[in-house]
Amino acid sequence: MDTARQPLIELRHVSHEYNAGTSDKDLVLSDINLTVSEHETVVLLGPSGCGKSTLVRIMAGLIAPTKGDVLYKEKLLIGVSPGVSMVFQNFALFPWLTVRGNVLLPVGHLSADDQQARLEKVLQTVGLGAYEYSYPRELSGGMKQRVGIARALIADPEVLAMDEPFSALDVLTAETLRNEIGRLLADPNHPLRTMVMVTHNIVEAVYFATRIVVMATGPGRIDVIVPNSLPYPRDTDHPEFKKIVEQLHGILTHTNMPDSVAAVAGKVTTKTADNRKRIAPVSLPNVGAGEVLGLMSLLGDEPCDVFDLAERLGKEFGAVVRVVKAAELLEFVRTPGQDVEITPLGKELVSSSTADQKRIVREQIMKLKIFELLIRLIKVQENQCLPSEELIRELQAALPHEKPRPLFRTLLSWGRYAEIISLDQRRHVIRLYEAKGSGRAKSAAVSLPPIAPPPTPAAPPATPPAAPPSVPAVEKPTEPSSDDLPKS
């Protein structure tokens, strides 16, 4: 990149926290430092949940960061950026406006002649000249996204910001729009020369970017920035293109599936504020048991590349990584490099019956420190019933960088599948699971009786037949129930 180019957007020590100051606070970005200069395309690449969409909105001035500064042309940005236009993932069109009405929204302050001139130009650019008076309901998904792009371009922005603009489209339509945006970037006469884009697609990132910002999660942060000096237009089959793709594969794999694991299952050593070391639980990825079992059934004896696995499943890389990490945490797979290998325990799991699968999962879950914490919390409670909100507070204290409520739901899902815990949804308390008929279940039923249904009105007693005068009427005794018998 030419160092003489003017910086348009600067982020200085930017952090952002949703629900700041509440018990549900969520740190999504931490200490981001990034500059976007004119005539470059910066692509934010990373798994879901790393804060890419939040970061691009902060650049556009749609979100104010909780910490740090955002500068536009070396001046502190307050409010929406005057030189940035945004293209959203979900089209964001007004259904009661025509294509013309939606596209003209950003330039309503201009004269009618200027508006018409700009409208004709951008509609021609995106190939919608014949749809000026059509409504969004009459358009396909690809055409709706073209309207969104035209609306962004009509204001002649200095920076075009796009948040996964092709993810909601079918494969062929997305490929067509990528090529069209690529041609705009390659045209030296087109005013659009600077772009910031969010994606989780590695090939898409290499196709557009002059710099690729690889982000990591927990909280969102910049892991590494990869330069890309390939000339436009770019050929996805070129050896240098494939080389950069492989480089990014390696970076994402190392960031999301590091080869080094904790020495003790489910535990990691961290430092406290006073610089002392403590053992903290490792968080469970936010996936369910069914997803892990489904992954295991797909794996064969040979190692499988995680990117090939994502393509085979038709899922985003980050979503597949979460499932793989959960399986690795439970020792069902290994992840050397980019490969996913099934372990002997994983093979045993796949070949087992449903009951034995639950047993194996339960044994592995009980090795995790986070479940040790959960069971200890339950056992110290009165009646061994842990309120849900108390568990959420404990999770937030033990794992301050995790989202406590999604983690709570994940723990609950795994614990109930493995028959370790049960949830009383009426009282919002968690108990240790016991099969019906066990002594623990009986004692729990005594200490916390179930809510009784409203009594049904008694039927009026039947009139007894008249007895002979010489023989008094005698009521037949009822047979005692088992509860009335003395306990031995």
Side-chain angles (χ1 to χ4, degrees), residues 384-401:
Q384 296 194 9
C385 295
L386 174 63
S388 299
E389 288 298 323
E390 183 171 340
L391 174 58
I392 290 171
R393 288 193 296 270
E394 291 287 345
L395 292 174
Q396 190 167 28
L399 295 161
H401 295 309

Side-chain angles (χ1 to χ4, degrees), residues 289 293 330-332 344-368 414-420 433:
L293 293 174
L330 297 174
E331 301 177 7
F332 298 147
L345 181 61
K347 294 179 180 179
E348 180 184 348
L349 179 76
V350 172
S351 61
S352 297
S353 65
T354 300
D356 283 338
Q357 285 182 340
K358 285 181 178 285
R359 174 187 56 79
I360 293 170
V361 171
R362 180 167 53 250
E363 290 172 355
Q364 295 306 109
I365 281 179
M366 294 298 289
K367 296 178 182 179
L368 302 180
W414 280 96
R416 295 170 85 179
Y417 169 81
E419 298 180 347
I420 298 172
Y433 175 84

Side-chain angles (χ1 to χ4, degrees), residues 104 111-123 154:
L104 287 176
S111 67
D113 290 342
D114 285 344
Q115 290 186 36
Q116 186 62 33
R118 292 193 182 201
L119 178 67
E120 292 176 359
K121 180 180 178 181
V122 296
L123 289 183
I154 199 170

Side-chain angles (χ1 to χ4, degrees), residues 248-309:
L248 291 171
H249 277 175
I251 293 171
L252 283 171
T253 302
H254 176 74
T255 300
N256 295 281
M257 299 193 310
D259 290 331
S260 59
V261 295
V264 183
K267 304 179 182 180
V268 63
T269 303
T270 63
K271 288 187 178 182
T272 61
D274 55 359
N275 211 33
R276 292 182 299 174
K277 291 184 178 180
R278 68 180 179 91
I279 299 295
V282 171
S283 173
L284 267 174
N286 186 18
V287 299
E291 293 175 272
V292 171
L293 293 174
L295 169 70
M296 302 306 300
S297 66
L298 290 175
L299 295 177
D301 293 334
E302 297 298 321
C304 181
D305 183 274
V306 68
F307 294 95
D308 292 341
L309 189 61

Side-chain angles (χ1 to χ4, degrees), residues 24-80:
D24 292 331
K25 62 183 179 181
D26 179 14
L27 182 65
V28 292
L29 293 171
S30 178
D31 197 29
I32 302 293
N33 293 281
L34 182 65
T35 299
V36 178
S37 298
E38 60 181 356
H39 297 175
E40 72 169 340
T41 299
V42 175
V43 172
L44 308 178
L45 175 68
S48 297
C50 67
K52 304 185 298 294
S53 294
T54 299
L55 185 56
V56 76
R57 282 164 170 75
I58 288 175
M59 291 183 182
L62 300 178
I63 295 176
T66 50
K67 291 183 180 178
D69 296 321
V70 182
L71 282 73
Y72 181 74
K73 291 188 173 180
E74 301 181 346
K75 293 182 179 179
L76 186 65
L77 178 64
I78 299 176
V80 178

Side-chain angles (χ1 to χ4, degrees), residues 233-246:
R234 290 173 176 170
D235 179 7
T236 56
D237 292 325
H238 193 280
E240 288 299 317
F241 190 102
K242 293 181 177 180
K243 181 179 179 180
I244 298 176
V245 169
E246 287 301 317

